[in-house]
Amino acid sequence: GFLPLQGHVVRNWKVRWFVLLQDKLLYYKIEGGKKEPSPKGRILLDGCTITCPCLEYENRPLLIKLKTKTNTDYFLECCSREERDSWALDITGAIHAGHPVQVQELHRMKNSFKLLENISLHNIVERMYDSSTGIKLTRNLDQGNRYKETFTGSALVDWLISNSFAVSRFEAVTLASMLMDENFIRPVGVRSTEATRSSDPSEKFLDDSTALYMFAESSKKNTSSKEEVHFNISELSGTIVKQGFLVKQGHKRKNWKVRKFVLRADPAFLHYYDPTKEDNKPVGGFSLRGCLVSALEDNGVPAGVKGNVQGNLFKIITKDDIDYYIQASSKAERVQWIEAIKPLT
């Protein structure tokens, strides 16, 4: 699948197509909508260590860090928490392929940690910010350091339960961990920061009156212009239905670029992001009301499509008659996207 990868010489981000084998992770360059035949590089997994979640980049909360036995660091970014955890589990399984007991333990841990369904993290954060009913921010002291506008772990757990986002303290801790992993909140102070290094997802967030947290800078509302406020509230407030990396044809140059697509409902919008950029702002998007979506046949290049594409194409026509040509990585993925989009049109 597609993952953004940080370069070693120039520390920029490029999207590559990754293929996981038993002993190595290959990555390929995408040119003109098609994967190049030879790998751009490879990560040898023998003696490799994995860090997930990796919190070294505040603006990129969904990172996996791989350190080879020659001490080369690779940073891979996923598009969702579920995808990140799935990649991390599979890579870890490949690293420990010769140790079946460790692999069984990894699968047991994954199956014991169930993500809550139908939860909009954006909605929870909006409610947390509410001046009258949101989480109360206070000054706190930790190891001699003073922190403004913080809240304790137990206070957030209490708030999530009282606002019916969770029915138990375990569910609330799981939800708070998701907010932290998605970079909506961050730990401050020694206790809460050290807890994030735990390999057990249920222990990363502390339900404790001495563990401090605060809103992450990237999740604070940007009210610098009326246009941005309208954009955030009206288009980005819906529940995320599906997200993933797809290849999209540009409208002007007709070139193909990998974009992170996020499908939201209520209101129904499809936005796409440039995964190589630091900010988490859409580079485009449109309302799905009145749209038509359909698969394109793979025999021959359809009219309006440029380049030597690999197939698995589908097309979205907006109510304003704007055509979007999008390429999935497989026929199954194309079907999944079309089935997810159709009910929202």
Side-chain angles (χ1 to χ4, degrees), residues 60-123:
R60 293 181 180 271
L62 297 174
L63 288 181
I64 297 172
K65 178 182 179 181
L66 297 176
K67 181 184 283 290
T68 67
K69 64 179 181 181
T70 58
N71 289 324
T72 302
D73 292 341
Y74 292 88
F75 293 93
L76 318 176
E77 186 176 33
C78 299
C79 68
S80 67
R81 190 174 190 272
E82 296 89 335
E83 185 191 53
R84 182 201 62 194
D85 292 347
S86 178
W87 269 105
L89 183 80
D90 291 339
I91 293 171
T92 306
I95 292 173
H96 298 297
H99 306 279
V101 175
Q102 287 177 290
V103 176
Q104 288 178 2
E105 177 64 16
L106 285 165
H107 282 280
R108 186 196 66 77
M109 285 178 59
K110 181 184 180 184
N111 292 332
S112 67
F113 181 61
K114 300 296 184 183
L115 291 174
L116 303 176
E117 297 181 355
N118 301 321
I119 290 290
S120 169
L121 297 184
H122 290 275
N123 181 39

Side-chain angles (χ1 to χ4, degrees), residues 37-213:
S38 300
K40 182 75 174 177
R42 66 193 69 216
I43 303 172
L44 299 178
L45 298 177
D46 180 37
C48 205
T49 59
I50 182 169
T51 303
C52 179
C54 172
L55 304 176
E56 294 188 24
Y57 292 86
E58 183 178 345
N59 291 333
R60 293 181 180 271
L62 297 174
L63 288 181
I64 297 172
K65 178 182 179 181
L66 297 176
K67 181 184 283 290
T68 67
K69 64 179 181 181
T70 58
N71 289 324
T72 302
D73 292 341
Y74 292 88
F75 293 93
L76 318 176
E77 186 176 33
C78 299
C79 68
S80 67
R81 190 174 190 272
E82 296 89 335
E83 185 191 53
R84 182 201 62 194
D85 292 347
S86 178
W87 269 105
L89 183 80
D90 291 339
I91 293 171
T92 306
I95 292 173
H96 298 297
H99 306 279
V101 175
Q102 287 177 290
V103 176
Q104 288 178 2
E105 177 64 16
L106 285 165
H107 282 280
R108 186 196 66 77
M109 285 178 59
K110 181 184 180 184
N111 292 332
S112 67
F113 181 61
K114 300 296 184 183
L115 291 174
L116 303 176
E117 297 181 355
N118 301 321
I119 290 290
S120 169
L121 297 184
H122 290 275
N123 181 39
I124 293 175
V125 173
E126 288 287 330
R127 293 275 297 276
M128 288 175 67
Y129 270 113
D130 190 283
S131 58
S132 58
T133 61
I135 190 83
K136 302 303 180 187
L137 303 179
T138 60
R139 295 173 181 264
N140 284 285
L141 187 68
D142 183 90
Q143 304 261 329
N145 294 317
R146 294 185 179 276
Y147 298 98
K148 298 179 180 179
E149 297 187 329
T150 59
F151 46 87
T152 67
S154 56
L156 179 54
V157 169
D158 291 340
W159 185 87
L160 289 169
I161 294 174
S162 65
N163 284 273
S164 301
F165 289 114
V167 297
S168 67
R169 299 196 79 82
F170 176 77
E171 280 191 8
V173 167
T174 303
L175 194 51
S177 298
M178 293 171 66
L179 289 169
M180 190 165 58
D181 283 349
E182 301 292 348
N183 207 34
F184 288 111
I185 64 174
R186 65 181 179 89
V188 290
V190 176
R191 287 207 66 223
S192 57
T193 302
E194 287 183 348
T196 61
R197 301 188 179 97
S198 172
S199 59
D200 187 343
S202 65
E203 296 177 0
K204 293 182 185 301
F205 181 90
L206 298 178
D207 179 7
D208 193 297
S209 61
T210 63
L212 302 181
Y213 300 87

Side-chain angles (χ1 to χ4, degrees), residues 311-332:
N312 304 314
L313 288 166
F314 63 99
K315 178 181 180 181
I316 301 175
I317 306 175
T318 70
K319 63 180 180 180
D320 299 322
D321 287 329
I322 299 175
D323 295 348
Y324 289 86
Y325 293 98
I326 301 170
Q327 185 180 174
S329 60
S330 67
K331 287 187 177 180

